[in-house]
Amino acid sequence: MQIANDPVFHRADLAQYFVDYIKSPDASSGLFLAAPRRTGKTTFIKEDLMPLLRDQGATVIYADLWEDKAINPSQVIVNAIRAAMSANEGLITRTAKGAGLTKFKVAGFEVDLAAIGAHDGISLARALESFALATRKAIVMVIDEAQHAQTSEEGRQTLFALKAARDAMKGAGSPGFRLVATGSNSSKLATLVNAKDQAFYMAPLEDLELLGMDYLAWVLQMSALRQKPTLSALRQGFEMCCHRPEPLRAVLRELGRVRSDAAVAPDALDARFLALMRQNLQAARDSFLQGVHGMAALDACVLRRMALLGKDFTPFDAAALAHYRQLLEADGSTPELPTQSSVQSALLRLQKEGLVWNAGRGVWLIEDTQHSEWIRASLSAQT
Ligand SMILES: Nc1ncnc2c1ncn2[C@@H]1O[C@H](COP(=O)(O)OP(=O)(O)OP(=O)(O)O)[C@@H](O)[C@H]1O
Ligand SMILES: [Mg+2]
């Protein structure tokens, strides 16, 4: 069986823009890229940005901190560095491995692959530096969903180790090092660059442009539909689903399923497409809100307060406790005053469900901005 991969709309100009940015001194502290969930960050990074960086002579190391949430983020980063070193050291590594050795010499340094990042082993900074010197290529470390590095002490330490590498490789003799980090929410990423005690304090944070009209024109061109909606209807539908390709694809597929022999007037087809989009989004929203409704009452109220306040959310102060009580009452519950510990348990349950994210230091955020919007709209509809 031949499994077809998703066709990719390439964003060459955007990739060139970021490659120029990454090479420039403006990115010497690192570059942080944010875009909402499911809008194409990973696709852009893997399909456009990384190939172009490689074409331009960099060694690119990629680590996705969300790939396996069970593995500690620091381990994911170290593994990615080890794998890249093994793959790139070619003959040296192969010879070393063939001989059952994990140690080899590059550019005068002895490198022990197994010991990179380990407690007493070679430091990440030293390993990356020798790697860059041996290959005579700049290293770009790409960390997808970098905010997860903050969720453990080792993860935070690893970011500091990468900062040390960055600083060590600033000298004229070194090919150089850049960190590129992505995240699905600029508030989450901002916690990595806005606090003085963070490794990448004051690194630039950029919004990754959302897929736009050129992407939609490509979707229309690629579509096998006998009759296609207009570009303008497609744009409206795409805005409704927050610029996410998946709902758009699903609705276009559904549109193709509506069988009709007679040709439909373009206006009627556009209206049908937009109605399907509305229905699909409503179904997704209703099912999410039903889920919220079905939660323990306090969990739902904590989530609601978080949606209402965004980055100003505080979980435990007197105003928060009073707010939960007010929300519980509005919900028809006759609650006891929520306590710090009951709120803490609610937060942990929400975190386990993947609905909220803990940025440390009492900062909590809703994972998916679409969820916040749905909750806010449902609350304002009630009042
Ligand atoms: N340039 C593109 N061309 C075609 N399809 C795309 C493109 N970008 C994204 N998609 C599609 O959109 C969906 C989401 O893409 P992707 O996983 O890259 O987004 P993401 O922002 O990294 O998501 P997450 O927030 O889950 O990490 C995928 O199904 C992907 O195939
Ligand atoms: Mg992604």
Side-chain angles (χ1 to χ4, degrees):
M1 181 169 57
Q2 186 74 38
I3 305 271
N5 285 326
D6 278 352
V8 172
F9 169 70
H10 288 285
R11 301 205 269 172
D13 290 348
L14 195 61
Q16 188 62 59
Y17 167 79
F18 279 116
V19 168
D20 291 342
Y21 195 153
I22 289 164
K23 288 197 299 197
S24 79
D26 295 342
S28 63
S29 311
L31 176 61
F32 286 66
L33 292 177
R37 294 235 39 208
R38 308 307 295 158
T39 54
K41 294 177 295 297
T42 302
T43 305
F44 172 68
I45 298 261
K46 284 187 150 174
E47 301 287 340
D48 294 317
L49 187 63
M50 287 173 37
L52 191 60
L53 283 166
R54 286 189 177 119
D55 275 358
Q56 304 221 343
T59 298
V60 184
I61 306 177
Y62 175 81
D64 178 359
L65 302 193
W66 247 1
E67 205 169 76
D68 186 345
K69 288 187 190 158
I71 304 180
N72 191 309
S74 81
Q75 200 57 50
V76 177
I77 294 172
V78 170
N79 287 349
I81 293 173
R82 276 190 199 146
M85 287 185 79
S86 307
N88 278 272
E89 279 310 307
L91 192 63
I92 306 172
T93 315
R94 257 180 273 134
T95 316
K97 274 201 179 144
L101 299 173
T102 55
K103 286 187 186 177
F104 56 88
K105 272 201 162 181
V106 278
F109 292 111
E110 186 167 62
V111 175
D112 181 351
L113 274 183
I116 294 172
H119 195 55
D120 302 319
I122 181 170
S123 72
L124 276 191
R126 185 85 186 282
L128 286 168
E129 205 180 351
S130 32
F131 187 16
L133 283 173
T135 52
R136 294 198 184 83
K137 284 177 164 189
I139 295 178
V140 182
M141 174 96 219
V142 181
I143 305 187
D144 210 355
E145 304 294 347
Q147 70 275 0
H148 286 282
Q150 264 178 301
T151 55
S152 74
E153 188 47 40
E154 291 106 310
R156 272 190 291 271
Q157 291 307 326
T158 307
L159 291 184
F160 275 101
L162 292 176
K163 172 181 182 284
R166 176 195 78 187
D167 294 344
M169 291 162 82
K170 266 186 178 158
S174 166
F177 175 82
R178 288 285 193 262
L179 176 89
V180 177
T182 77
S184 47
N185 175 323
S186 56
S187 325
K188 287 180 187 171
L189 274 186
T191 59
L192 282 174
V193 296
N194 286 347
K196 281 207 181 85
D197 59 347
Q198 289 286 355
F200 290 90
Y201 177 52
M202 292 193 43
L205 173 56
E206 290 260 320
D207 283 330
L208 179 63
E209 208 171 282
L210 295 169
L211 288 162
M213 291 301 271
D214 45 356
Y215 164 72
L216 295 176
W218 173 83
V219 168
L220 276 188
Q221 192 201 332
M222 297 288 290
S223 159
L225 285 177
R226 212 154 39 96
Q227 253 195 296
K228 302 175 187 182
T230 61
L231 188 58
S232 134
L234 215 61
R235 195 203 64 207
Q236 248 180 293
F238 199 46
E239 274 168 17
M240 282 159 65
C241 63
C242 303
H243 297 252
R244 296 173 179 191
E246 285 156 318
L248 182 73
R249 238 178 5 220
V251 168
L252 286 174
R253 179 169 283 276
E254 236 174 283
L255 194 66
R257 240 185 269 139
V258 182
R259 297 243 169 267
S260 158
D261 291 334
V264 184
D267 279 1
L269 189 76
D270 281 358
R272 191 183 280 173
F273 163 74
L274 289 171
L276 278 174
M277 181 58 95
R278 240 172 250 120
Q279 265 171 32
N280 275 30
L281 290 174
Q282 240 161 36
R285 188 199 58 194
D286 292 351
S287 123
F288 169 74
L289 290 175
Q290 259 170 24
V292 174
H293 205 67
M295 285 176 189
L298 182 59
D299 298 16
C301 292
V302 171
L303 200 61
R304 286 179 185 136
R305 174 174 162 79
M306 224 182 272
L308 287 169
L309 295 188
K311 62 180 175 17
D312 297 324
F313 171 81
T314 51
F316 307 122
D317 55 7
L321 297 180
H323 193 189
Y324 299 137
R325 191 183 175 107
Q326 185 195 336
L327 288 165
L328 285 164
E329 276 166 3
D331 221 13
S333 317
T334 44
E336 293 184 9
L337 191 62
T339 61
Q340 271 208 15
S341 87
S342 61
V343 172
Q344 179 70 30
S345 309
L347 283 167
L348 292 178
R349 281 192 296 271
L350 292 168
Q351 185 182 25
K352 203 162 161 219
E353 292 295 318
L355 290 167
V356 305
W357 184 74
N358 180 7
R361 286 177 276 229
V363 179
W364 291 82
L365 292 162
I366 290 186
E367 277 282 357
D368 190 332
T369 43
Q370 173 90 84
H371 290 166
S372 307
E373 279 164 32
W374 283 340
I375 295 174
R376 278 199 300 271
S378 77
L379 288 174
S380 61
Q382 274 171 21
T383 51

